[in-house]
PDB file of all heavy atoms in Angstrom:
ATOM      1  N   ALA I 133      24.031 -75.207  50.647  1.00 98.00           N
ATOM      2  CA  ALA I 133      23.110 -75.838  49.705  1.00 98.00           C
ATOM      3  C   ALA I 133      23.871 -76.602  48.635  1.00 98.00           C
ATOM      4  O   ALA I 133      23.519 -77.737  48.291  1.00 98.00           O
ATOM      5  CB  ALA I 133      22.222 -74.773  49.048  1.00 98.00           C
ATOM      6  N   PHE I 134      24.936 -75.998  48.118  1.00 98.00           N
ATOM      7  CA  PHE I 134      25.723 -76.654  47.065  1.00 98.00           C
ATOM      8  C   PHE I 134      26.430 -77.902  47.608  1.00 98.00           C
ATOM      9  O   PHE I 134      26.419 -78.958  46.972  1.00 98.00           O
ATOM     10  CB  PHE I 134      26.768 -75.683  46.491  1.00 98.00           C
ATOM     11  CG  PHE I 134      27.547 -76.255  45.334  1.00 98.00           C
ATOM     12  CD1 PHE I 134      27.100 -76.097  44.040  1.00 98.00           C
ATOM     13  CD2 PHE I 134      28.728 -76.975  45.556  1.00 98.00           C
ATOM     14  CE1 PHE I 134      27.811 -76.644  42.980  1.00 98.00           C
ATOM     15  CE2 PHE I 134      29.438 -77.514  44.512  1.00 98.00           C
ATOM     16  CZ  PHE I 134      28.991 -77.359  43.215  1.00 98.00           C
ATOM     17  N   VAL I 135      27.030 -77.751  48.791  1.00 97.00           N
ATOM     18  CA  VAL I 135      27.742 -78.887  49.394  1.00 97.00           C
ATOM     19  C   VAL I 135      26.793 -80.060  49.621  1.00 97.00           C
ATOM     20  O   VAL I 135      27.150 -81.220  49.379  1.00 97.00           O
ATOM     21  CB  VAL I 135      28.408 -78.466  50.721  1.00 97.00           C
ATOM     22  CG1 VAL I 135      28.933 -79.676  51.485  1.00 97.00           C
ATOM     23  CG2 VAL I 135      29.548 -77.491  50.440  1.00 97.00           C
ATOM     24  N   LYS I 136      25.584 -79.749  50.085  1.00 98.00           N
ATOM     25  CA  LYS I 136      24.583 -80.805  50.328  1.00 98.00           C
ATOM     26  C   LYS I 136      24.207 -81.508  49.043  1.00 98.00           C
ATOM     27  O   LYS I 136      24.115 -82.746  48.997  1.00 98.00           O
ATOM     28  CB  LYS I 136      23.343 -80.165  50.959  1.00 98.00           C
ATOM     29  CG  LYS I 136      22.276 -81.178  51.383  1.00 98.00           C
ATOM     30  CD  LYS I 136      22.730 -82.005  52.561  1.00 98.00           C
ATOM     31  CE  LYS I 136      21.632 -82.908  53.052  1.00 98.00           C
ATOM     32  NZ  LYS I 136      22.070 -83.779  54.185  1.00 98.00           N
ATOM     33  N   LEU I 137      24.022 -80.761  47.972  1.00 98.00           N
ATOM     34  CA  LEU I 137      23.664 -81.344  46.691  1.00 98.00           C
ATOM     35  C   LEU I 137      24.815 -82.157  46.094  1.00 98.00           C
ATOM     36  O   LEU I 137      24.593 -83.122  45.352  1.00 98.00           O
ATOM     37  CB  LEU I 137      23.241 -80.234  45.688  1.00 98.00           C
ATOM     38  CG  LEU I 137      21.929 -79.514  46.002  1.00 98.00           C
ATOM     39  CD1 LEU I 137      21.761 -78.327  45.058  1.00 98.00           C
ATOM     40  CD2 LEU I 137      20.750 -80.464  45.870  1.00 98.00           C
ATOM     41  N   HIS I 138      26.030 -81.753  46.412  1.00 98.00           N
ATOM     42  CA  HIS I 138      27.213 -82.408  45.849  1.00 98.00           C
ATOM     43  C   HIS I 138      27.617 -83.662  46.632  1.00 98.00           C
ATOM     44  O   HIS I 138      28.446 -84.453  46.142  1.00 98.00           O
ATOM     45  CB  HIS I 138      28.388 -81.409  45.826  1.00 98.00           C
ATOM     46  CG  HIS I 138      29.616 -81.933  45.155  1.00 98.00           C
ATOM     47  ND1 HIS I 138      30.651 -82.547  45.842  1.00 98.00           N
ATOM     48  CD2 HIS I 138      29.987 -81.949  43.838  1.00 98.00           C
ATOM     49  CE1 HIS I 138      31.594 -82.911  45.000  1.00 98.00           C
ATOM     50  NE2 HIS I 138      31.229 -82.559  43.775  1.00 98.00           N
ATOM     51  N   GLU I 139      27.049 -83.873  47.791  1.00 97.00           N
ATOM     52  CA  GLU I 139      27.452 -85.002  48.639  1.00 97.00           C
ATOM     53  C   GLU I 139      27.334 -86.361  47.934  1.00 97.00           C
ATOM     54  O   GLU I 139      28.242 -87.198  48.057  1.00 97.00           O
ATOM     55  CB  GLU I 139      26.614 -85.005  49.930  1.00 97.00           C
ATOM     56  CG  GLU I 139      27.097 -83.994  50.949  1.00 97.00           C
ATOM     57  CD  GLU I 139      26.247 -83.985  52.212  1.00 97.00           C
ATOM     58  OE1 GLU I 139      25.210 -84.703  52.248  1.00 97.00           O
ATOM     59  OE2 GLU I 139      26.597 -83.260  53.156  1.00 97.00           O
ATOM     60  N   PRO I 140      26.249 -86.634  47.177  1.00 97.00           N
ATOM     61  CA  PRO I 140      26.174 -87.918  46.472  1.00 97.00           C
ATOM     62  C   PRO I 140      27.320 -88.115  45.480  1.00 97.00           C
ATOM     63  O   PRO I 140      27.834 -89.221  45.334  1.00 97.00           O
ATOM     64  CB  PRO I 140      24.823 -87.856  45.752  1.00 97.00           C
ATOM     65  CG  PRO I 140      24.012 -86.909  46.575  1.00 97.00           C
ATOM     66  CD  PRO I 140      24.990 -85.881  47.040  1.00 97.00           C
ATOM     67  N   ILE I 141      27.721 -87.025  44.800  1.00 97.00           N
ATOM     68  CA  ILE I 141      28.840 -87.109  43.871  1.00 97.00           C
ATOM     69  C   ILE I 141      30.128 -87.397  44.615  1.00 97.00           C
ATOM     70  O   ILE I 141      30.945 -88.225  44.184  1.00 97.00           O
ATOM     71  CB  ILE I 141      28.968 -85.800  43.058  1.00 97.00           C
ATOM     72  CG1 ILE I 141      27.733 -85.611  42.181  1.00 97.00           C
ATOM     73  CG2 ILE I 141      30.246 -85.801  42.217  1.00 97.00           C
ATOM     74  CD1 ILE I 141      27.751 -84.329  41.377  1.00 97.00           C
ATOM     75  N   GLN I 142      30.309 -86.721  45.765  1.00 96.00           N
ATOM     76  CA  GLN I 142      31.489 -86.932  46.579  1.00 96.00           C
ATOM     77  C   GLN I 142      31.572 -88.397  47.033  1.00 96.00           C
ATOM     78  O   GLN I 142      32.641 -89.008  47.037  1.00 96.00           O
ATOM     79  CB  GLN I 142      31.458 -86.006  47.811  1.00 96.00           C
ATOM     80  CG  GLN I 142      32.770 -85.875  48.556  1.00 96.00           C
ATOM     81  CD  GLN I 142      33.842 -85.187  47.720  1.00 96.00           C
ATOM     82  OE1 GLN I 142      33.544 -84.266  46.966  1.00 96.00           O
ATOM     83  NE2 GLN I 142      35.069 -85.662  47.848  1.00 96.00           N
ATOM     84  N   SER I 143      30.431 -88.956  47.379  1.00 97.00           N
ATOM     85  CA  SER I 143      30.378 -90.344  47.804  1.00 97.00           C
ATOM     86  C   SER I 143      30.753 -91.273  46.651  1.00 97.00           C
ATOM     87  O   SER I 143      31.506 -92.251  46.843  1.00 97.00           O
ATOM     88  CB  SER I 143      28.964 -90.669  48.307  1.00 97.00           C
ATOM     89  OG  SER I 143      28.881 -92.028  48.693  1.00 97.00           O
ATOM     90  N   LYS I 144      30.274 -90.980  45.452  1.00 97.00           N
ATOM     91  CA  LYS I 144      30.605 -91.785  44.268  1.00 97.00           C
ATOM     92  C   LYS I 144      32.094 -91.724  43.947  1.00 97.00           C
ATOM     93  O   LYS I 144      32.711 -92.718  43.532  1.00 97.00           O
ATOM     94  CB  LYS I 144      29.790 -91.318  43.064  1.00 97.00           C
ATOM     95  CG  LYS I 144      28.312 -91.669  43.138  1.00 97.00           C
ATOM     96  CD  LYS I 144      27.577 -91.175  41.899  1.00 97.00           C
ATOM     97  CE  LYS I 144      26.097 -91.541  41.948  1.00 97.00           C
ATOM     98  NZ  LYS I 144      25.369 -91.090  40.739  1.00 97.00           N
ATOM     99  N   ILE I 145      32.677 -90.552  44.129  1.00 96.00           N
ATOM    100  CA  ILE I 145      34.116 -90.386  43.865  1.00 96.00           C
ATOM    101  C   ILE I 145      34.920 -91.273  44.814  1.00 96.00           C
ATOM    102  O   ILE I 145      35.869 -91.963  44.404  1.00 96.00           O
ATOM    103  CB  ILE I 145      34.530 -88.907  44.012  1.00 96.00           C
ATOM    104  CG1 ILE I 145      33.920 -88.078  42.886  1.00 96.00           C
ATOM    105  CG2 ILE I 145      36.054 -88.770  44.009  1.00 96.00           C
ATOM    106  CD1 ILE I 145      34.136 -86.581  43.038  1.00 96.00           C
ATOM    107  N   LYS I 146      34.539 -91.262  46.084  1.00 95.00           N
ATOM    108  CA  LYS I 146      35.253 -92.065  47.076  1.00 95.00           C
ATOM    109  C   LYS I 146      35.113 -93.571  46.779  1.00 95.00           C
ATOM    110  O   LYS I 146      36.014 -94.364  47.068  1.00 95.00           O
ATOM    111  CB  LYS I 146      34.716 -91.778  48.481  1.00 95.00           C
ATOM    112  CG  LYS I 146      35.075 -90.389  48.987  1.00 95.00           C
ATOM    113  CD  LYS I 146      34.505 -90.150  50.372  1.00 95.00           C
ATOM    114  CE  LYS I 146      34.886 -88.764  50.888  1.00 95.00           C
ATOM    115  NZ  LYS I 146      34.315 -88.496  52.243  1.00 95.00           N
ATOM    116  N   GLN I 147      33.992 -93.945  46.198  1.00 96.00           N
ATOM    117  CA  GLN I 147      33.753 -95.364  45.857  1.00 96.00           C
ATOM    118  C   GLN I 147      34.364 -95.763  44.520  1.00 96.00           C
ATOM    119  O   GLN I 147      34.329 -96.929  44.142  1.00 96.00           O
ATOM    120  CB  GLN I 147      32.240 -95.623  45.814  1.00 96.00           C
ATOM    121  CG  GLN I 147      31.534 -95.454  47.143  1.00 96.00           C
ATOM    122  CD  GLN I 147      30.017 -95.457  47.001  1.00 96.00           C
ATOM    123  OE1 GLN I 147      29.470 -95.803  45.949  1.00 96.00           O
ATOM    124  NE2 GLN I 147      29.334 -95.073  48.086  1.00 96.00           N
TER     125      GLN I 147
END
Side-chain angles (χ1 to χ4, degrees):
F134 184 90
V135 170
K136 185 70 175 177
L137 291 172
H138 185 266
E139 282 179 354
I141 295 178
Q142 194 66 37
S143 178
K144 288 181 179 181
I145 291 173
K146 290 180 179 179
Q147 296 169 12

